[in-house]
Amino acid sequence: MTRTAEAIDHLASIIEALRSPQGCPWDAAQTSDSLKPFLLEETYEVLEAIDSGEPDAIREELGDLLMQIVFHARIFEERRLFNLADVANEISQKLIRRHPHVFEKSAELDHASLRAQWDRIKNEEKAQKNKNTHQFSGIPASLPALARAIKILEKTGPKEIGAQDQVRVRDEAVRKLEKFKATHREGNPKQAETELGEILFSLARLCYTSKVDPEEALRMATNRYMSSCLK
């Protein structure tokens, strides 16, 4: 057994012990639903650690996230639905299937062709699983709003973005902001929500055409704001 396999097996055995009748009552009481907030929290803590650039912090937070994955797998193993090995095998098969240029030694592809190949294979997989697929199938409704907007724009926006696209989207965002300034009236929060939502979506489109991750841009701007407040 390799060091990696031994470490993962040890972690799985710890989770199993915690879930046992002789283990921890809190851990034993958890369900996949009750763990969802912790899974989300750990994901964001990984992002924060990556921002810090500290290897020790990144290692620790990746461990916390890995624990969540092992925990969820154990819950479903207890229900005899699947186990951690099935999870690992599933993603391994998917990666091999979606990278024929690597594992089948097909012709080398540029980045655009690789993306097109990835999307095609992914869509074929989803079509096999669900005959009722549509253009936005596979985009989780629970994604953060900005991340979800980008996923949708990737499905509907131009694959090749030129300078004219950026100017057009930028001007549209400016027009929506100017309209809000001209028409906004205090005392109508619902209208403000709608109009500001349109502005935010326009800014998401501007990020998309500018090849900027809006989640990352907003996180960094928030961090800069926090730093300025602490000075």
Side-chain angles (χ1 to χ4, degrees), residues 37-73:
F38 301 103
L39 178 61
L40 186 62
E41 180 181 343
E42 298 298 352
T43 300
Y44 282 113
E45 288 184 358
V46 169
L47 295 178
E48 185 175 359
I50 291 172
D51 286 343
S52 75
E54 294 293 334
D56 289 347
I58 297 170
R59 183 186 64 240
E60 178 182 354
E61 297 303 339
L62 284 174
D64 289 345
L65 182 58
L66 177 60
M67 187 273 288
Q68 286 294 318
I69 295 169
V70 175
F71 206 149
H72 279 271

Side-chain angles (χ1 to χ4, degrees), residues 127-171:
Q128 291 176 359
K129 291 180 181 178
N130 183 3
K131 300 301 181 182
N132 297 321
T133 56
H134 54 76
Q135 187 178 15
F136 304 118
S137 295
I139 301 178
S142 56
L143 272 179
L146 283 175
R148 186 164 177 252
I150 291 298
K151 289 287 187 183
I152 290 171
L153 289 168
E154 288 174 348
K155 296 281 189 180
T156 58
K159 301 302 180 185
E160 297 295 330
I161 300 170
Q164 289 183 334
D165 296 307
Q166 295 182 22
V167 171
R168 176 176 53 79
V169 172
R170 181 199 64 196
D171 291 347

